[in-house]
Amino acid sequence: MPNWGGGAKCGACEKTVYHAEEIQCNGRSFHKTCFLCMGCRKALDSTTVAAHESEIYCKTCYGRKYGPKGIGFGQGAGCLSTDTGDHLGLNLQQGSPKPARPSTPTNPSKFAKKIVDVDKCPRCGKSVYAAEKIMGGGKPWHKTCFRCAICGKSLESTNVTDKDGELYCKVCYAKNFGPKGIGFGGLTQVEKKEHE
């Protein structure tokens, strides 16, 4: 039967697809609004579509339905996918379930050992990770704990001093541990007169 006054039929809704709204994939035409994953209904484009015969999927659903199965074939590097695709109507369970791997590694890597031996903050005693670490007095500190022990002022490399494992701003250090007397940050002339 001839196709009068229209374009090809949509591969999803079977209605006529006119040229202005046409997306072609795998030799078939689709409306832009019908170009959706058959599993999760996510909108597709030329970079995200994966076709299998007359079906179109996003790459994730395609991998779940037609990709390799088993341990080591996850969705990303080092990933173990336990998603069965049931919520997408893909019914991917095949064969008997695989036994689970032991939760503790028998031969821990250097990376795993490094996590266990994380530095502790001298102020709060909690672990200090690289993203939040500031060194002061030869010890690692959290950015939020890197404060003067007396006045609580945030410290930087330009105003920090340390004594007996504790951090101080230069002002508090001078007042409490510096030399005493006139001209050394001790009592001012006004305070001296009041004491006399």
Side-chain angles (χ1 to χ4, degrees):
M1 184 164 155
N3 190 3
W4 299 104
K9 297 293 182 189
C10 177
C13 71
E14 297 296 323
K15 294 182 181 175
T16 302
V17 181
Y18 296 98
H19 185 68
E21 59 185 357
E22 181 179 30
I23 295 178
Q24 291 188 350
C25 176
N26 217 22
R28 299 179 67 207
S29 296
F30 294 88
H31 293 105
K32 289 179 183 177
T33 56
C34 294
F35 200 57
L36 304 172
C37 173
M38 296 181 89
C40 66
R41 308 295 297 161
K42 182 170 65 171
L44 301 172
D45 62 33
S46 62
T47 62
T48 59
V49 69
H52 182 79
E53 296 173 0
S54 63
E55 302 170 335
I56 57 172
Y57 295 98
C58 67
K59 290 185 178 180
T60 303
C61 290
Y62 180 87
R64 287 182 183 138
K65 188 164 186 175
Y66 298 108
K69 307 290 186 281
I71 295 174
F73 293 105
Q75 303 302 315
C79 174
L80 172 61
S81 177
T82 58
D83 185 0
T84 62
D86 288 340
H87 67 286
L88 302 173
L90 297 177
N91 195 14
L92 302 178
Q93 284 288 64
Q94 297 173 356
S96 61
K98 306 271 190 243
R101 287 187 175 181
S103 60
T104 55
T106 55
N107 187 10
S109 67
K110 291 178 185 177
F111 180 72
K113 289 177 187 174
K114 181 111 175 133
I115 290 175
V116 174
D117 298 331
V118 173
D119 296 322
K120 301 289 183 190
C121 176
R123 175 85 27 93
C124 68
K126 295 181 181 175
S127 297
V128 181
Y129 299 101
E132 58 189 355
K133 184 189 291 188
I134 294 181
M135 294 299 289
K139 298 178 184 174
W141 300 76
H142 291 109
K143 289 178 183 177
T144 55
C145 294
F146 200 66
R147 299 180 168 277
C148 175
I150 296 173
C151 70
K153 178 181 176 182
S154 289
L155 300 172
E156 298 173 356
S157 62
T158 57
N159 67 352
V160 66
T161 56
D162 68 300
K163 179 174 174 56
D164 300 327
E166 194 55 77
L167 301 178
Y168 302 95
C169 66
K170 288 188 176 184
V171 174
C172 289
Y173 182 87
K175 283 182 183 176
N176 292 284
F177 308 110
K180 304 290 187 247
I182 297 175
F184 289 108
L187 298 175
T188 64
Q189 296 295 336
V190 176
E191 290 173 328
K192 281 183 128 188
K193 287 183 183 178
E194 288 176 359
H195 287 312
E196 293 177 354

